[in-house]
Amino acid sequence: MDFIAIQYYKSAFGELIIGSYDNKLCLCDWRYRKMRTSIDKRIQKALNAEYKEASTPITEATIKQLKAYTAGELDKFTLPLLLVGTDFQKSVWHALLEIPYGETRSYLELSIQLGDKNAIRAVASANGANAISIIVPCHRIIGKNGNLIGYAGGLLAKKRLLELENPQKCTPQLKLF
């Protein structure tokens, strides 16, 4: 059986588990999120591989780019990605990658972009199943009224990521956290 090389990384926003498989990033997720077990099972089953702690050029490049992002020196990640999920989930994650640094979208806007304004719950579910947090920027999705809702890393991490990307656009709702 193949393995997914994983490393743990304590970012400024919380502890992450970073994984690579076949020279691509397949995991950059919050270590202590509620869906940790189901995300891990999905990835391991789809890739027919188990986790093994090991450093790879991809995990090291990911950490390097996360550090540059946190320092405000990087606004676009350049890592080869391996998105592991259903076709619908992948379509949502690709749409997330199109949201520019410093901007946000609502679940409704993302649903409309994907061609079905009634798919808000499905889009929210796919957003929550994203296993490549920060890099596939699910933190850029907010409620239609501007409120921060739902984030695997916690709302404080989401607020801090959004403030990093666009401190001038910190809404009154963001300031509540």
Side-chain angles (χ1 to χ4, degrees):
M1 178 178 273
D2 286 334
F3 71 91
I4 299 160
I6 62 162
Q7 278 186 264
Y8 297 102
Y9 171 64
K10 291 185 181 182
S11 78
F13 307 102
E15 192 166 358
L16 300 167
I17 177 173
I18 299 169
S20 71
Y21 180 82
D22 195 25
N23 294 314
K24 294 180 182 162
L25 183 70
C26 64
L27 180 67
C28 181
D29 202 11
W30 305 99
R31 184 171 183 184
Y32 300 107
R33 72 178 289 176
K34 288 179 185 173
M35 293 176 55
R36 176 82 277 128
T37 302
S38 64
I39 298 283
D40 293 341
K41 284 181 181 178
R42 181 187 81 218
I43 292 170
Q44 291 175 356
K45 182 178 178 184
L47 299 178
N48 193 29
E50 293 181 357
Y51 289 168
K52 176 181 172 184
E53 276 194 68
S55 175
T56 68
I58 296 299
T59 58
E60 291 299 326
T62 301
I63 291 169
K64 183 178 179 182
Q65 288 190 29
L66 284 168
K67 287 179 179 178
Y69 167 83
T70 301
E73 300 165 355
L74 180 77
D75 62 6
K76 186 163 180 72
F77 293 93
T78 57
L79 299 159
L81 303 179
L82 177 60
L83 303 174
V84 180
T86 67
D87 288 343
F88 179 77
Q89 288 172 327
K90 290 177 189 177
S91 72
V92 171
W93 302 332
H94 282 289
L96 292 172
L97 287 166
E98 295 174 16
I99 302 171
Y101 179 92
E103 293 186 19
T104 58
R105 300 287 185 276
S106 70
Y107 288 102
L108 176 60
E109 289 172 311
L110 193 57
S111 298
I112 292 168
Q113 178 185 338
L114 291 165
D116 185 354
K117 69 178 183 176
N118 296 317
I120 295 173
R121 286 193 174 144
V123 166
S125 178
N127 199 53
N130 175 25
I132 307 181
S133 290
I134 304 174
I135 294 156
V136 176
C138 52
H139 61 278
R140 295 180 188 156
I141 302 299
I142 59 174
K144 69 179 180 180
N145 59 1
N147 287 341
L148 296 186
I149 52 177
Y151 190 60
L155 292 181
L156 181 58
K158 185 173 190 166
K159 172 191 176 277
R160 292 176 64 207
L161 288 163
L162 293 173
E163 285 177 337
L164 170 72
E165 292 186 7
N166 194 343
Q168 295 80 25
K169 201 173 179 180
C170 186
T171 66
Q173 289 88 349
L174 287 178
K175 291 180 182 177
L176 294 175
F177 291 91

